[in-house]
Amino acid sequence: MDQLHRFFSYCSENPKVNGGFSSPEERRHDTTLLYEMTASKITLPERRRLNKLILPLQQGPDLTLGQFLKTVEECCPQTAYAVKLRLHEMADGELKDMEYFFSTLPTPFTAFDTEAYKTSVVGLFMRHMLLAYNKLSFSQVYKLYKSLQHYYHSHYAKPMDGQVPALVADDSEMDLTSIEDTVGDRVDKEELDTPLHESELRSDNTPSRGPLSQKQAEYFLARQAYLLKNDENKALKPAALQEELNNMLKFNPDFAEAHYLNYLNSMRVQDIFLSAHSLLHYFDRLILSGNDGKSNGDEGYGRSLRYAALNLASLHCRFGHYQQADLALQEAIRIAQESNDHVCLQHCLSWLYTLEQMKGSDSTVLTEDSVKMAAHFCLPYLASLGIQSLVQQGATQGKTAHKLMDALKDTDILHWKHSLSELIEISLAQTTSIWRMYGKSTMSLQQAQLLLNMSSLEPVNFGVQQNNTEAFAVVLCHLAELHAEQGLYGAVSEIIQHLKEQFPPHTQHAKLWMLCDLKIQFERHMNEGKYHLAEPLVTAITALNQLEGLYRKAQVLKAVNRSTEAYHILQQLQARCEKTKCTEMVIRVMLSTAELHWESSGFSTALPVLLQALALARQHHLQSLASETILHLAFTQLMLGVPEQALNVLHEAVEPILAHRAVMDKGCAMLLAARCQMAVAGFKPNRQGQADLRLAASALDTLNEAAAYFSQLNCKERLRDVHYLQAQLHRSLGQILESNKSAMLFRLLDQELQSPAPPVSMRL
């Protein structure tokens, strides 16, 4: 530190240093002193950051001077100052200063004591540059020096002033593409890599004006394609990336990889026309370039054609154009059969059963055939995808949990054996969804956390984590819904905000969190009795999922006492769900239909519907829906005048509800249990001295527990019911003070809600 202080003091006191070096000897001596001090003062974290920066600087497009200095300064300020001083020395000096710089570089060929060893990344780069520099003629060296001066002075020059100011770093733009061939004839174009370009490491999205070299273009495309796959937020924005690709294709229209990245970028914004256009151009250029297979000619030509048709089929599947997808898929199958390409045929078979699933048809046989053939041809990726598809179909068809988990366990062994990181993520997300469908929220939460905390098996270049895939979106949505069920809306807001940042609205998986957010808001408004706020959300939910939208619309209509309209919608929805074998929705519709029967006091009519729903839930092992159905059955039996039987039935469902269900369901279960206890005790309103005091006290404790659950959700309508029953119980027990308190709370809520309380027999 004392050496650095002495150097800065010397610079400030010596006018020759401030105004410019008077001689090359003094200049070289002071610069060497600075380099020695800089090398000795670099800390270990700064050295690590510089080492991580070296490779992107070498492989990436060239930075402007302002961006380069800013990037280095963020890693190590001392090194940035030394670089700035060295550039100042050469640009404001003479040609021999640049020659002196090259002559004093530690040569990786002979200098064994330097860190730039000949086989290191820096050493290889220095050897590359030194060989290129030594090949230059005198005129080419002079042009290189003038380019360096222009690069330096253009950064510090002001538009209104031709003088060069002091060393003040800013972000002014400078691009060497405006220079005419900075190295003259360029003896070795591959080595010099001279066409320069504004780097994508820049914080702005200023469009480029010049061509990229081959290496720079390949680096740019590889980086952007990787980011689009793994972390789309760190890739360029769709418009900026489109502009870069257009500029690249303007200089090289036959660059096949640029067309493919253009296809991926168009898919981000759901542009079907440009996506298909770019995809076809990619395969056209691939055929023309002759890089479409191990051999050229007819075999390579046919290979490109069949994979082009296969990609076109997947594109149409993505946009829901099933007829066009089927035609493209049949074309790919025909060409693959003619060429006897078994691998392509397996990919076609995978897309064939996927297409059948999208259409709503049963594709179990096709999927099983695909798994068998993929295993036969040693294609573990396709085999695992097929097994995961079979597990998904088995879950909807009522297969037992242990069979599905055994199948997933076998695929996980295959995934870890072949390091199929993407399929491991899908498997964990699928397990999370299956456990949640079965009503095991704790297991679902465990699997979700396992995926979110899992380290990726893939070599994550560019510091990217695998966190913008569909599996992560699904798991985070489950996590948000699980928190919402427990009334933790603050945590839900944080999760949804993270989803919005990680999956912007234009991305392909944004619909997942959009639907999740709308459903959570809807349920919250319904629980709080704010039906006027829930109704506008129905339209948005319908736009994302028609079945969910219709179900939510029926719920709102039922809540505002428009029972006839709600009943018609539920009947239509049940018919559609039975046709598509959506068992979960069928059971939920049946429960809503039973609630409509309650409103007309048709409890005996509701009983067969509930029994059918319970049979379906148990057949498909849907414990969550089975518990909810038992609650409805217990309430029906209570209203039919058999409270003892209702209480016995309720005991069967209370344990899984308290363990896995939402806070709202817990509160409803406790409220129903209290009402059953009151009925068994012989309690009737406005009658004293006839009730069993022990059961009445137990019912009072149960009501207090229900009130605690409803308070978490701010469910004022349910709290009003609880306070009403509490006031009645306290009065029957002779607790006048507590009865008056509960009556006051009931009165306050009744005045706040400004809506008449529905009859007790109307709802659970």
Side-chain angles (χ1 to χ4, degrees):
M1 192 68 188
D2 293 335
Q3 290 180 342
L4 192 60
H5 177 70
R6 286 201 309 272
F7 179 78
F8 286 134
S9 299
Y10 168 74
C11 291
S12 60
E13 294 172 1
N14 193 338
K16 294 184 292 183
V17 178
N18 281 330
F21 295 101
S22 60
S23 67
E25 289 75 14
E26 292 179 354
R27 184 187 314 155
R28 293 163 186 166
H29 173 267
D30 293 326
T31 306
T32 304
L33 176 62
L34 176 64
Y35 291 156
E36 292 175 355
M37 289 187 293
T38 301
S40 63
K41 295 299 179 182
I42 295 180
T43 63
L44 185 59
E46 290 175 339
R47 184 180 297 275
R48 288 175 178 171
R49 289 195 294 267
L50 283 174
N51 289 340
K52 290 175 67 176
L53 183 64
I54 286 173
L55 202 58
L57 288 178
Q58 289 187 19
Q59 293 182 343
D62 297 317
L63 294 166
T64 61
L65 181 57
Q67 288 295 321
F68 172 71
L69 293 176
K70 180 180 178 182
T71 304
V72 177
E73 189 172 5
E74 291 174 354
C75 297
C76 181
Q78 297 96 326
T79 303
Y81 186 82
V83 172
K84 194 186 304 182
L85 191 64
R86 172 66 84 179
L87 288 173
H88 176 77
E89 170 193 340
M90 290 189 293
D92 280 2
E94 300 174 355
L95 178 60
K96 59 183 178 181
D97 294 306
M98 187 183 74
E99 294 178 342
Y100 176 76
F101 167 75
F102 280 98
S103 64
T104 56
L105 280 177
T107 308
F109 298 102
T110 57
F112 293 97
D113 57 339
T114 178
E115 295 184 7
Y117 190 62
K118 60 181 180 179
T119 57
S120 66
V121 174
V122 179
L124 292 172
F125 179 76
M126 290 175 62
R127 291 168 61 187
H128 191 77
M129 290 299 103
L130 285 172
L131 288 173
Y133 179 77
N134 292 332
K135 287 183 180 181
L136 298 179
S137 63
F138 178 77
S139 61
Q140 291 171 338
V141 171
Y142 179 73
K143 288 183 179 181
L144 178 62
Y145 178 67
K146 298 301 290 184
S147 299
L148 176 64
Q149 284 186 319
H150 183 85
Y151 180 68
Y152 179 82
H153 293 317
S154 296
H155 171 68
Y156 292 111
K158 295 182 179 179
M160 301 301 295
D161 190 359
Q163 297 180 353
V164 179
L167 292 171
V168 180
D170 58 19
D171 292 333
S172 304
E173 291 191 18
M174 165 59 201
D175 199 335
L176 287 184
T177 53
S178 58
I179 304 299
E180 294 182 3
D181 196 359
T182 58
V183 198
D185 297 329
R186 289 179 289 180
V187 176
D188 192 337
K189 182 177 180 179
E190 184 72 17
E191 289 180 347
L192 290 178
D193 211 22
T194 51
L196 302 177
H197 191 284
E198 291 186 2
S199 175
E200 62 178 314
L201 296 175
R202 297 184 52 162
S203 59
D204 56 19
N205 287 324
T206 307
S208 57
R209 297 181 298 276
L212 288 165
S213 68
Q214 183 70 23
K215 289 183 179 179
Q216 290 171 338
E218 290 174 355
Y219 177 83
F220 175 81
L221 295 175
R223 175 181 172 85
Q224 290 299 318
Y226 185 88
L227 291 175
L228 287 181
K229 178 180 180 292
N230 295 293
D231 198 347
E232 191 173 325
N233 290 334
K234 293 184 179 180
L236 289 179
K237 300 298 181 184
L241 182 56
Q242 184 68 47
E243 192 167 358
E244 294 287 342
L245 292 172
N246 289 341
N247 180 74
M248 190 181 299
L249 292 171
K250 180 176 67 176
F251 291 98
N252 187 2
D254 295 329
F255 201 177
E257 288 77 6
H259 285 288
Y260 191 78
L261 186 60
N262 201 5
Y263 155 70
L264 296 178
N265 189 45
S266 303
M267 294 282 284
R268 297 167 69 187
V269 294
Q270 308 296 312
D271 189 340
I272 175 65
F273 174 77
L274 190 57
S275 299
H277 180 77
S278 300
L279 183 63
L280 295 176
H281 271 288
Y282 165 70
F283 282 101
D284 289 344
R285 267 59 181 185
L286 201 64
I287 293 171
L288 292 174
S289 63
N291 297 326
D292 48 356
K294 295 181 180 179
S295 61
N296 298 328
D298 293 339
E299 183 179 348
Y301 179 80
R303 183 176 185 275
S304 289
L305 283 181
R306 53 184 177 267
Y307 278 101
L310 182 60
N311 278 270
L312 194 60
S314 68
L315 175 65
H316 286 300
C317 278
R318 171 80 173 274
F319 287 100
H321 305 157
Y322 300 138
Q323 185 177 0
Q324 293 90 329
D326 188 58
L327 292 174
L329 199 55
Q330 295 300 328
E331 179 69 13
I333 292 173
R334 183 185 61 80
I335 303 176
Q337 286 176 338
E338 291 176 355
S339 304
N340 201 24
D341 189 344
H342 298 290
V343 176
C344 184
L345 282 173
Q346 283 308 116
H347 283 280
C348 293
L349 186 56
S350 298
W351 274 108
L352 193 59
Y353 72 71
T354 303
L355 183 60
E356 292 300 319
Q357 289 178 9
M358 290 180 174
K359 292 179 180 178
S361 304
D362 186 8
S363 59
T364 305
V365 177
L366 279 175
T367 310
E368 291 175 350
D369 291 342
S370 175
V371 172
K372 292 176 183 177
M373 296 303 295
H376 176 72
F377 290 108
C378 299
L379 300 172
Y381 189 92
L382 294 179
S384 297
L385 277 180
I387 295 174
Q388 289 177 344
S389 179
L390 285 173
V391 168
Q392 182 175 346
Q393 295 176 53
T396 58
Q397 293 171 1
K399 300 291 184 181
T400 55
H402 70 89
K403 291 183 179 179
L404 301 181
M405 294 305 164
D406 286 343
L408 287 177
K409 182 190 67 176
D410 295 338
T411 60
D412 286 340
I413 295 174
L414 195 63
H415 300 159
W416 290 104
K417 179 180 178 181
H418 296 278
S419 297
L420 301 174
S421 178
E422 184 179 359
L423 292 182
I424 293 173
E425 296 171 5
I426 296 174
S427 178
L428 287 172
Q430 194 174 45
T431 308
T432 303
S433 302
I434 290 174
W435 280 125
R436 188 141 187 271
M437 183 190 71
Y438 285 142
K440 306 293 185 181
S441 60
T442 305
M443 293 298 299
S444 178
L445 185 62
Q446 181 191 48
Q447 294 295 313
Q449 294 292 348
L450 184 61
L451 174 58
L452 294 175
N453 292 281
M454 186 187 72
S455 298
S456 174
L457 298 178
E458 293 187 6
V460 185
N461 305 323
F462 322 114
V464 175
Q465 297 297 328
Q466 303 265 336
N467 56 1
N468 82 324
T469 58
E470 185 179 12
F472 277 90
V474 170
V475 164
L476 286 170
C477 288
H478 282 308
L479 207 60
E481 291 178 350
L482 288 171
H483 281 81
E485 289 178 355
Q486 303 306 316
L488 305 174
Y489 292 109
V492 171
S493 300
E494 294 180 4
I495 296 173
I496 294 297
Q497 182 61 34
H498 175 71
L499 281 165
K500 290 179 180 179
E501 294 172 356
Q502 198 63 38
F503 303 91
H506 66 269
T507 57
Q508 58 176 323
H509 304 311
K511 291 182 180 180
L512 295 174
W513 65 257
M514 289 180 181
L515 181 60
C516 173
D517 188 24
L518 290 171
K519 287 163 64 176
I520 290 173
Q521 292 182 46
F522 180 87
E523 294 297 336
R524 185 176 184 180
H525 292 324
M526 293 295 290
N527 291 339
E528 296 175 356
K530 300 177 181 178
Y531 308 127
H532 64 287
L533 296 178
E535 188 173 2
L537 298 175
V538 173
T539 305
I541 294 175
T542 306
L544 296 172
N545 190 315
Q546 194 172 13
L547 295 181
E548 291 286 348
L550 285 174
Y551 177 69
R552 296 309 194 282
K553 184 178 181 180
Q555 283 187 306
V556 173
L557 292 174
K558 180 167 63 71
V560 296
N561 298 321
R562 295 166 61 180
S563 303
T564 304
E565 298 177 47
Y567 182 77
H568 289 313
I569 291 177
L570 288 174
Q571 292 303 305
Q572 295 174 8
L573 184 58
Q574 182 175 347
R576 291 180 58 178
C577 293
E578 288 175 348
K579 184 178 180 181
T580 57
K581 298 181 180 179
C582 185
T583 309
E584 287 183 86
M585 184 61 74
V586 169
I587 297 173
R588 288 157 60 189
V589 168
M590 287 180 175
L591 296 180
S592 297
T593 305
E595 293 172 2
L596 288 177
H597 289 307
W598 294 346
E599 295 184 4
S600 60
S601 299
F603 298 103
S604 58
T605 311
L607 201 56
V609 178
L610 292 174
L611 291 173
Q612 185 182 358
L614 181 61
L616 271 177
R618 287 178 171 172
Q619 178 186 348
H620 289 79
H621 310 283
L622 305 176
Q623 186 189 62
S624 177
L625 289 173
S627 302
E628 188 176 353
T629 307
I630 291 174
L631 278 184
H632 284 68
L633 278 171
F635 178 78
T636 305
Q637 290 175 330
L638 175 64
M639 292 296 103
L640 289 174
V642 282
E644 296 86 357
Q645 183 65 26
L647 196 57
N648 291 333
V649 170
L650 186 59
H651 286 160
E652 181 184 348
V654 165
E655 183 178 346
I657 287 176
L658 294 179
H660 300 290
R661 290 290 292 177
V663 173
M664 186 67 180
D665 296 323
K666 295 176 184 178
C668 290
M670 292 297 101
L671 178 57
L672 179 58
R675 292 172 63 181
C676 289
Q677 290 169 346
M678 291 169 61
V680 171
F683 173 82
K684 295 183 180 179
N686 302 323
R687 293 188 183 181
Q688 299 181 2
Q690 299 179 1
D692 187 337
L693 298 182
R694 183 181 60 82
L695 283 176
S698 178
L700 198 57
D701 294 336
T702 308
L703 283 175
N704 291 333
E705 190 175 351
Y709 287 131
F710 291 136
S711 298
Q712 292 183 34
L713 299 176
N714 193 29
C715 188
K716 296 179 181 179
E717 287 191 352
R718 301 284 183 173
L719 280 172
R720 180 172 59 181
D721 296 342
V722 171
H723 292 318
Y724 173 78
L725 294 175
Q726 283 176 330
Q728 295 287 343
L729 277 175
H730 282 302
R731 185 168 296 276
S732 69
L733 295 173
Q735 301 170 351
I736 304 302
L737 185 62
E738 288 81 357
S739 176
N740 291 338
K741 180 180 178 181
S742 297
M744 182 191 66
L745 293 174
F746 167 79
R747 181 63 176 169
L748 290 175
L749 286 175
D750 192 57
Q751 290 177 347
E752 181 181 351
L753 292 173
Q754 295 182 350
S755 61
V760 179
S761 61
M762 289 297 183
R763 66 180 182 182
L764 176 60

